[in-house]
Amino acid sequence: MKIGVDKNQLQKGSHEKSNRYNHSRLKGMGHELVPLPLPYGDYCLVTDQMQETIDRRGLKLKKADLVGDIKVAVDRKNSIDEICGNVCSSTASHDRFRDECILAQKCGCKFYVLVEDETVVNLDDLEHWENPRAKLYFIQKARLAKGYKPKHQLAKQPPASGKTLAKALRTMQEKYGIEVVFTKPMDAARKIIELLTQ
């Protein structure tokens, strides 16, 4: 089976390193990985319709060319911390992620967000997740109160809790039609195939 992989997932750097294991597993299962400029998500099936677009556009292929061809997409998050940054921050990362969800919904694409974690298996579990950055935030806040001068400015708000993140993801599921799925990191490649072929 041909699996479209967003080109960013294959570029040298943090994305490529964090995906190396999953890509090796996918290839080991007999799947061909095709680097593509995906408009949303990290993985999709390369259908006959999509292959026709790829062949027709060749080297001129752009994200916009594939928008209507993708019926199911998986956006992989290598940790809860990563999805937390995408959903609960006021950064460009949040805007990009939200816009991808909206675009997938408008195009009639089933959009899965696959989050890797060893212990969390659903949004109910996520409510009890303790953000490791929260403890550091409160330590730094206590130091500031004692006159300590930090190297970096302390954020105005503490890092999001599991309860806040779970609530935000439930809202996104209702509003944008995404489906948040959790998996152990060792099972991520298998889960990607499972979601793409449902």
Side-chain angles (χ1 to χ4, degrees):
M1 180 166 34
K2 282 187 181 179
I3 300 171
V5 181
D6 187 59
K7 284 182 175 183
N8 291 333
Q9 300 301 310
L10 301 168
Q11 290 178 348
K12 295 288 184 203
S14 62
H15 280 304
E16 187 266 340
K17 285 180 186 174
S18 72
N19 288 311
R20 192 176 297 148
Y21 175 77
N22 286 323
H23 293 171
S24 161
R25 293 279 315 269
L26 289 168
K27 289 176 186 174
M29 289 185 238
H31 302 295
E32 179 185 346
L33 303 184
V34 181
L36 295 170
L38 298 181
Y40 38 78
D42 298 321
Y43 302 93
C44 69
L45 288 181
V46 177
T47 62
D48 291 341
Q49 179 181 344
M50 184 182 287
Q51 188 62 56
E52 187 178 296
T53 303
I54 294 166
D55 293 342
R56 181 172 40 82
R57 294 290 291 154
L59 295 174
K60 295 178 183 177
L61 185 71
K62 294 183 177 151
K63 290 182 179 195
D65 296 323
L66 300 174
V67 167
D69 292 346
I70 301 171
K71 303 305 177 207
V72 179
V74 175
D75 195 36
R76 178 185 161 265
K77 304 297 177 189
N78 68 7
S79 67
I80 293 175
D81 197 44
E82 182 181 358
I83 188 69
C84 192
N86 290 154
V87 173
C88 295
S89 69
S90 57
T91 64
S93 175
H94 169 78
D95 294 343
R96 179 199 53 77
F97 179 68
R98 182 203 58 221
D99 291 347
E100 280 189 31
C101 293
I102 291 169
L103 181 59
Q105 182 184 41
K106 284 182 176 180
C107 295
C109 175
K110 179 63 181 173
F111 194 70
Y112 292 100
V113 178
L114 182 63
V115 183
E116 295 180 17
D117 189 76
E118 287 293 341
T119 58
V120 174
V121 296
N122 56 39
L123 290 175
D124 291 337
D125 281 352
L126 182 61
E127 289 183 5
H128 305 289
W129 174 74
E130 292 184 26
N131 191 329
R133 293 182 298 128
K135 188 174 185 177
L136 292 173
Y137 174 86
F138 291 111
I139 289 170
Q140 287 181 332
K141 193 169 184 178
R143 286 181 176 171
L144 277 175
K146 293 178 182 178
Y148 171 76
K149 302 273 192 258
K151 290 180 184 178
H152 306 286
Q153 186 175 359
L154 190 64
K156 292 179 183 178
Q157 297 292 323
S161 66
K163 192 171 186 174
T164 299
L165 178 57
K167 182 179 178 184
L169 288 171
R170 283 188 178 104
T171 299
M172 291 188 81
Q173 285 187 147
E174 290 171 21
K175 196 170 183 179
Y176 306 126
I178 68 171
E179 187 172 333
V180 180
V181 180
F182 293 86
T183 187
K184 291 184 187 296
M186 293 294 290
D187 298 332
R190 181 192 54 76
K191 195 68 174 177
I192 289 167
I193 297 303
E194 181 184 310
L195 295 173
L196 290 176
T197 57
Q198 284 188 7

